[in-house]
């Protein structure tokens, strides 16, 4: 199928040091430029982000500090990159919320203002989510083939949820699931332990402001100290603890940081 284009459509995907568009940097950028006549070309750049790549990010995209130490920085390719994409509209997967905003910020850091005023932005993930709604009513229709009458009545909703689970067990029996590390498993089985492992709940902090690493250490999962052990942050910046205790964090988050604060050495 040939896209109906009046100017090039530039698909952009970024691999980064993290998911904070204000703080994180690009380590790899791939561009697929599709022209109105249907021809296409791909450019890919490995970049030195000028900051260390966290281990968690490296485990996802398999790019480590050693891989990028001799790579150009974003500043070194920015002018040519801006020239290459300036004549097109933009597309990607979750690009409207992540890739495009982060790219714009990277350009701004090197003094380039990307012209986006007359651009069109196509987010394939948004199309996916809107056309395949992630609602109970949509799930009931997909898995059970029935319309959910009386949605948002608690009893109707919970009965439908039970029916959906049973339908999922039938639908996904012997269907493989591949995780981000490429491991294959068959998790949707008629087994409560397996289902619970597949749909994990953060017992430490259900709001996910705090997580644990493989050693069981409490780690910040937000803000300027994201990815850092809480105890290390409190030792170098004790004021951060007092700010958090006064700020609008959940009782779960405050319970954990209070625990760390009281045993810090």
């Amino acid at each position: 199928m040939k896209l109906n284009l009046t100017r090039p459509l530039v698909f952009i995907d970024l691999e980064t040091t993290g998911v904070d568009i204000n703080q994180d940097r690009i380590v790899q950028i791939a561009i697929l430029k599709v022209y109105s006549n249907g021809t296409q070309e791909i450019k890919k750049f490995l970049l030195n982000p000028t900051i260390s790549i966290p281990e968690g990010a490296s485990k996802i995209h398999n790019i480590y500090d050693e891989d990028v130490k001799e790579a150009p920085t974003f500043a070194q390719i920015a002018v040519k990159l801006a020239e290459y994409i300036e004549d097109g509209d933009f597309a990607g997967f979750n690009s409207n919320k992540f890739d495009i905003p982060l790219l714009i910020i990277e350009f701004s850091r090197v003094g380039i203002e990307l012209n986006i005023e007359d651009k069109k932005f196509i987010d394939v993930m948004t199309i996916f989510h809107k056309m395949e709604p992630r609602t109970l009513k949509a799930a009931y229709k997909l898995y059970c083939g029935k319309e959910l009458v009386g949605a948002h009545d608690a009893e109707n909703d919970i009965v439908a949820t039970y029916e959906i689970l049973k339908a999922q067990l039938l639908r996904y029996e012997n269907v493989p699931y591949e995780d981000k590390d490429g491991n294959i498993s068959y998790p949707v089985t008629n087994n409560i332990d397996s289902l619970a492992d597949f749909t994990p709940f953060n017992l430490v902090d259900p709001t996910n402001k705090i997580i644990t690493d493989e050693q069981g250490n409490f780690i910040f999962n937000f803000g300027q100290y994201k990815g850092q052990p809480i105890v290390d942050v409190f030792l170098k910046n004790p004021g951060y603890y007092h700010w958090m205790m006064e700020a609008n964090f959940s009782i779960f988050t405050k319970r954990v940081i209070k625990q760390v604060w009281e045993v810090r050495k």
Side-chain angles (χ1 to χ4, degrees):
M1 178 184 178
K2 179 181 170 184
L3 295 179
N4 183 19
L5 304 176
T6 57
R7 58 184 175 184
L9 185 59
V10 180
F11 289 82
I12 295 175
D13 185 73
L14 308 178
E15 302 298 340
T16 64
T17 59
V19 296
D20 186 332
I21 63 172
N22 293 309
Q23 302 293 332
D24 285 302
R25 306 295 177 88
I26 300 171
V27 297
Q28 187 182 62
I29 178 170
I31 296 172
L32 168 63
K33 192 171 186 179
V34 181
Y35 293 89
S36 57
N37 63 3
T39 61
Q40 59 190 55
E41 51 188 38
I42 294 179
K43 292 183 181 293
K44 185 165 70 171
F45 305 91
L46 190 65
L47 299 175
N48 183 334
T50 69
I51 62 174
S52 181
I53 305 173
E55 183 179 355
S58 292
K59 285 183 177 180
I60 294 174
H61 49 55
N62 202 33
I63 302 172
Y64 293 82
D65 288 336
E66 182 70 18
D67 301 318
V68 300
K69 65 179 183 179
E70 302 297 333
T73 65
F74 184 84
Q76 290 173 311
I77 70 161
V79 172
K80 288 186 177 180
L81 180 61
E83 292 173 350
Y84 183 66
I85 67 176
E86 67 180 358
D87 63 338
D89 295 316
F90 298 126
F93 195 87
N94 196 33
S95 50
N96 286 358
K97 291 183 178 180
F98 183 72
D99 301 82
I100 300 301
L102 195 152
L103 184 62
I104 292 171
I105 291 172
E106 284 276 37
F107 274 120
S108 69
R109 287 194 184 105
V110 296
I112 296 175
E113 184 175 350
L114 196 64
N115 178 25
I116 61 172
E117 294 299 322
D118 65 339
K119 303 294 187 185
K120 304 296 182 184
F121 298 89
I122 312 299
D123 194 324
V124 175
M125 190 181 80
T126 300
I127 296 173
F128 171 46
H129 286 177
K130 287 187 175 181
M131 296 305 293
E132 300 288 346
R134 271 36 182 178
T135 64
L136 180 61
K137 184 175 181 180
Y140 195 59
K141 179 68 174 179
L142 174 64
Y143 291 111
C144 302
K146 296 183 285 187
E147 296 292 339
L148 178 54
V149 178
H152 302 300
D153 174 87
E155 180 179 348
N156 293 337
D157 286 357
I158 204 62
V159 170
T161 302
Y162 174 49
E163 290 187 38
I164 289 169
L165 176 59
K166 291 187 290 184
Q168 287 175 325
L169 293 177
L170 292 173
R171 186 184 185 98
Y172 298 124
E173 183 180 13
N174 298 320
V175 175
Y177 168 76
E178 182 176 352
D179 66 17
K180 59 180 173 54
D181 296 320
N183 300 311
I184 302 295
S185 62
Y186 297 83
V188 185
T189 66
N190 198 359
N191 179 282
I192 295 301
D193 289 341
S194 178
L195 293 173
D197 288 341
F198 192 52
T199 58
F201 180 75
N202 184 350
L203 290 171
V204 172
D205 181 6
T207 66
N208 282 319
K209 296 295 185 184
I210 295 170
I211 58 176
T212 56
D213 62 15
E214 294 178 354
Q215 290 73 43
N217 300 308
F218 295 123
I219 306 295
F220 280 122
N221 194 38
F222 75 98
Q224 62 180 315
Y225 296 118
K226 183 174 182 178
Q228 297 186 36
I230 297 176
V231 65
D232 292 350
V233 172
F234 286 171
L235 286 173
K236 65 184 178 183
N237 183 6
Y240 200 67
Y241 166 77
H242 299 292
W243 170 76
M244 287 191 67
M245 291 300 291
E246 294 296 325
N248 187 29
F249 290 99
S250 74
I251 59 173
F252 307 103
T253 304
K254 290 184 177 181
R255 182 172 58 196
V256 175
I257 65 170
K258 185 177 181 181
Q259 177 184 338
V260 175
W261 177 260
E262 291 176 347
V263 299
R264 76 193 189 286
K265 299 296 182 182

